[in-house]
Amino acid sequence: MVSRIESAAATRQALLDAAADLLDTGGLEAVTLRAVGARAGVTRGAPYRHFADKESLLIAVGSAAWSRIADHSATLRATPDLPPADKLRAALVALIDIGRTQPHLYRLMFSNPPGDPAALARAARRSHDEFLAIVGELVGEQSARRYGALLIGSAGGIIGMEVSGQLADPKWSQSPEDLIDTLVDMVVHAR
């Protein structure tokens, strides 16, 4: 028999999954509590029992994405036979993949919700800590923040160029992965 707590957790997860699907297919405008409830197959009132409003739902979706990235980076960090440069490359490619395949989610993750502008930055802390630990393996703890910010900023630019189609332009003709390889090589050789 499913307990009330398990049922509530399953409903909340179904709502988060439905919101993420709607976000992927239609952007922020497509995500309404009513549409999320309908997509999740729950009663009309169920979304309101789990989320105060659309913003709190979107913060939860963005926070869950940051948590997945943190888990991925932690797994990379804990893989002893993976060289530090490959860990860094894989962490950056994971971020690039979200920007490429889920651009609405990527923008949400780096947004500042009006009701709680720091909510997603707080959600990103563990991910950033894991990422900085990976960077620190290559450049040392003292330089990790400088290189980490440079790498995340560069990844954001790469994602922007990829999503807008600029990287496919013959003038650039680069893949995001090629650019990530170049960034990682630059960091490796800079230390």
Side-chain angles (χ1 to χ4, degrees):
M1 176 173 258
V2 176
S3 74
R4 181 175 232 146
I5 293 172
E6 292 170 326
S7 177
T11 299
R12 180 180 170 82
Q13 188 59 54
L15 293 167
L16 288 171
D17 293 344
D21 289 344
L22 287 167
L23 182 65
D24 282 348
T25 58
L28 290 174
E29 299 77 29
V31 180
T32 65
L33 289 174
R34 180 174 284 181
V36 167
R39 181 86 164 234
V42 299
T43 65
R44 289 179 84 173
Y48 299 94
R49 288 190 290 276
H50 293 271
F51 302 100
D53 52 25
K54 175 181 175 173
E55 183 175 293
S56 65
L57 172 62
L58 289 171
I59 288 171
V61 169
S63 295
W66 279 119
S67 184
R68 287 189 301 275
I69 290 175
D71 291 346
H72 176 69
S73 293
T75 299
L76 289 171
R77 236 172 33 95
T79 307
D81 57 335
L82 190 62
D86 290 345
K87 293 176 186 182
L88 178 57
R89 186 174 288 107
L92 289 168
V93 167
L95 190 60
I96 295 283
D97 284 345
I98 292 173
R100 175 191 291 151
T101 62
Q102 298 175 288
H104 298 295
L105 175 61
Y106 180 83
R107 280 192 295 280
L108 171 66
M109 291 167 60
F110 285 93
S111 71
N112 299 314
D116 188 357
L120 292 168
R122 283 191 308 273
R125 279 187 190 140
R126 186 170 71 90
S127 175
H128 291 166
D129 290 345
E130 292 291 343
F131 181 74
L132 286 174
I134 290 170
V135 174
E137 287 184 46
L138 279 172
V139 299
E141 190 176 326
Q142 290 184 333
S143 296
R145 289 175 189 239
R146 180 167 40 104
Y147 281 99
L150 179 65
L151 290 162
I152 293 293
S154 297
I158 291 168
I159 291 166
M161 290 181 76
E162 169 73 3
V163 169
S164 69
Q166 292 179 44
L167 285 182
D169 185 301
K171 174 176 35 182
W172 304 117
S173 190
Q174 299 290 312
S175 76
E177 291 79 10
D178 290 341
L179 294 174
I180 292 299
D181 286 345
T182 300
L183 279 172
V184 172
D185 289 345
M186 288 170 61
V187 170
V188 167
H189 291 100
R191 58 182 170 118

